[in-house]
Amino acid sequence: MTTPSPHWQMAVDLERCIGCHACSVACKVENDIELGVFRTRVLYHDHGAFPETRRSFLPTLCMQCADAPCMTACPSGAISRQEDGIVRIAPDTCDKWESCIKTCPYGALHIDPVQKIADKCDFCSHRLEQSMAPACVEACPADVLIFGDINDDQSPVSRFYQRHGSELKGLRVERGTRPQVCYRGVGTVVPQAAVDKLPDGRAHDPVDYEIDQWASR
C-alpha cells in the first residue's frame, strides 16, 4: 500500500493563546527575518466596556490558501502551491512588483527590506525536510498552534480536527481563498470584529500590535 505524500496544515486554538509573542520571535530567529517585517504576528483586540473589558489575541500568518490570490496575481509565476499544500515563493523568479501583497486579504506578505523580494511564512519548510515542526509550533508554551500532516489521521492536526472540527473556521472565507489554516474561537474568544480589521491588500503595520488603531492609519 502506497503511503500518501504529506499535506501540511495548521489549526490555531485561540482559547489557549496568551499573547506572549513566542511564535513571532521564534519565527524571526529561525528564518532570519529583518527588522520591521514579520512572517507571524500576534495581534491584540481590546473589547467590552469597563469594568467588563477583555483583551483577545489573534495569531496570524500565511493561510497557505488552496486558491491563493497571490499566486494568481504574480506576473512572473514566482508563487506556487505545491503538492504538500504549502504556498512558496521562488526568490530567483520574484519580479518585485508587489502584486501579491495587494491581493492578499490577510496581510501575510511583505517585501524583504534587504533582498527586495516578496517573503512570507512557508511553515519553516527547511525544518520539515528534517522532520521538525515549524519554529512557531515548537516555541509556543500554550500549544496554540497545532500542526501536522492532514493525511495522517494520527497527526496532531488530524486529531484536533477530529475533536473540534465543528468549531473550526477559516478567516475571510467569503473571499474564496480556501484558507488551510483554521481557527478555534473566532466569534467567541476573539470577536469577528477583530478579524474584520485585518489588513487587506497591504502588509501588517510594522510597529502597531493594537488592531483597533489600524482603521485610522
Side-chain angles (χ1 to χ4, degrees):
M1 182 177 179
T2 303
T3 302
S5 300
H7 188 96
W8 305 110
Q9 282 190 214
M10 179 181 286
V12 181
D13 192 348
L14 298 175
E15 295 193 0
R16 302 182 65 89
C17 186
I18 58 175
C20 69
H21 300 284
C23 55
S24 301
V25 174
C27 174
K28 287 184 76 72
V29 172
E30 179 70 29
N31 296 287
D32 196 22
I33 304 301
E34 298 293 335
L35 292 174
V37 291
F38 297 84
R39 288 186 177 187
T40 303
R41 296 290 301 271
V42 179
L43 307 174
Y44 300 159
H45 179 70
D46 294 332
H47 52 101
F50 181 83
E52 301 296 328
T53 57
R54 294 188 62 185
R55 168 167 284 182
S56 298
F57 306 107
L58 180 63
T60 64
L61 67 166
C62 175
M63 301 296 159
Q64 314 296 346
C65 301
D67 289 327
C70 60
M71 185 170 63
T72 304
C74 179
S76 64
I79 303 177
S80 61
R81 185 170 190 268
Q82 300 175 0
E83 291 185 2
D84 61 2
I86 300 176
V87 177
R88 295 184 174 89
I89 300 173
D92 295 337
T93 312
C94 179
D95 61 8
K96 311 172 184 65
W97 277 97
E98 302 186 21
S99 303
C100 53
I101 295 176
K102 297 174 183 176
T103 61
C104 177
Y106 307 106
L109 293 105
H110 64 267
I111 295 297
D112 184 292
V114 175
Q115 299 186 58
K116 304 299 182 183
I117 57 175
D119 185 59
K120 68 171 197 65
C121 166
D122 63 359
F123 282 161
C124 288
S125 292
H126 62 288
R127 290 174 62 91
L128 297 180
E129 292 173 358
Q130 303 300 320
S131 300
M132 300 169 67
C136 60
V137 176
E138 285 201 350
C140 179
D143 294 330
V144 174
L145 307 174
I146 301 94
F147 181 80
D149 176 11
I150 200 68
N151 288 334
D152 177 3
D153 60 9
Q154 295 303 309
S155 71
V157 72
S158 291
R159 294 199 302 270
F160 191 78
Y161 268 76
Q162 292 163 15
R163 291 194 302 271
H164 303 293
S166 62
E167 305 172 60
L168 299 180
K169 297 180 180 179
L171 304 186
R172 291 183 170 166
V173 294
E174 71 278 3
R175 301 292 288 272
T177 59
R178 296 169 60 201
Q180 299 300 291
V181 176
C182 291
Y183 288 72
R184 179 188 183 214
V186 172
T188 53
V189 178
V190 175
Q192 181 62 42
V195 177
D196 293 341
K197 291 182 179 180
L198 284 173
D200 187 350
R202 60 183 176 86
H204 289 293
D205 189 304
V207 298
D208 194 357
Y209 286 99
E210 175 51 69
I211 199 170
D212 289 325
Q213 302 296 322
W214 292 356
S216 61
R217 289 179 179 266

